[in-house]
Amino acid sequence: MAKFKKEGKRETPAISTASLPDIVFMLLFFFMVSTTMREVSLMVNNGMPEATQTVKLEKKALVSNIYVGKPKDQFQGAYGTEPRIQLNDHFAGVEDLQAFVASERESRKEEDRNSITNNLKVDQDVTMGIVTDIKQELRKANSLKVNYGSRKKATR
Amino acid sequence: MAKKTPEINATSTADIAFLLLVFFLATTTMNVDSGLYRRLPPYQPENQKAPEVAKRNILQILVNQNDMVMINDSPADVSTIKERTIEFILNPGNRSDLPSKELKNIDMFGQVEVSKGLISLKSDRGTSYRVYVAVQDQLTAAFNEMRNMKANEKWGKNFNELTPEQQDAVKDVIPMLVSEAEPNVIGGKK
């Protein structure tokens, strides 16, 4: 005969929470990895001007950034104080822009290549000369979508 | 025989991990890029002639190397550009020195008068970017206001509440024609 052993009290065993930290850590790592901070380290001063009619740039993947401004203090010895262009992680001249546009195109999918927006992040104290040169180069490279980066000014 | 070490209580690791998680969630501010969107005209070889436009159809805005603004040959302040542009494009009194209008067939609107007005923005190489953006901002504000007006007339809604098709129709009624002349060097190379 089977033996049924009856215990006095029947308590439901506590659910083991030992794996909870692992689950949470997994979540943590997921967020840490998925928030790709593909932000270049700025080598130029970049105080963008204010504007009231700014529009948010959608589709971040289709935005290529062009920074313009005075080199930061630690680079001024090597690059001077004249406004410079920064593409990705290095200083560049106006003549490098066409190659930059081409490589930006190359890195996108075929169908997205014509919808790249060039986000001009230009310091507000820069003069228009260099901006115009950039615009000319972009026109030559036939990359015509441009965003004049500016901060939203509080309206009244 | 080695003494058995008592097991460390691990219940608080979950809390620590949660704390970290919340910290990362809160600090990763997705800084959104914003700005004024423009489309550049396609590149044209230098020897090409610009199309002739009647003088009344052009609102000329000049910004010089000292950041001074001139509208149609008279000095003006940046903050007046918006009003001037609206008056110029809409030409409410059908004045003969403001742009002519042309009847156009636009879906959803039918026959409407579309202004032939063109804004010519010319800046110097020495113009500061701050002022340039301020001017562009004023122009955008002017066109946004006019489009809002049209949208409210037709649908009783603001422009950005319309469907994309309706927005396109409004854009056809009030096209944003801003031409940027190639800048010349007036104030010396900068």
Side-chain angles (χ1 to χ4, degrees), chain A residues 17 20-21 24-25 27-28 31-32 35 37 49 51-57 60 117 119-129 131-133 135-136 138-140 144-150, chain B residues 10-11 13-14 17-18 20-21 24-25 28 30-44 46 123-130 132-134 136-137 140-141 144 180 182-183 190:
Chain A
T17 53
L20 192 62
V24 177
F25 265 117
L27 268 172
L28 179 66
F31 275 101
M32 281 170 70
T35 50
M37 299 285 220
T52 53
Q53 307 291 322
T54 54
V55 192
K56 270 182 192 160
L57 266 184
K60 262 201 149 177
T117 305
N119 189 16
L120 294 180
K121 293 185 153 192
V122 183
D123 190 88
Q124 52 185 348
D125 296 321
V126 167
T127 53
M128 277 307 288
V131 181
T132 315
D133 291 341
K135 271 155 61 181
Q136 275 312 87
L138 289 178
R139 284 174 68 191
K140 278 182 203 163
L144 301 174
K145 293 182 167 193
V146 161
N147 179 60
Y148 297 114
S150 37
Chain B
T11 38
T13 30
F18 262 122
L20 273 169
L21 179 66
F24 272 97
L25 276 173
T28 48
M30 302 272 191
N31 59 328
V32 195
D33 286 318
S34 61
L36 304 168
Y37 181 79
R38 285 289 182 292
R39 219 188 144 80
L40 299 174
Y43 183 70
Q44 270 165 351
E46 314 232 323
S123 55
D124 187 77
R125 288 189 72 91
T127 305
S128 84
Y129 187 66
R130 185 194 289 119
Y132 177 78
V133 166
Q136 288 277 18
D137 189 36
T140 321
N144 284 350
E180 281 185 65
E182 253 96 287
K190 273 203 187 175

Side-chain angles (χ1 to χ4, degrees), chain B residues 1-9:
Chain B
M1 206 183 163
K3 213 173 156 194
K4 211 179 164 194
T5 45
E7 214 168 298
I8 299 163
N9 189 358

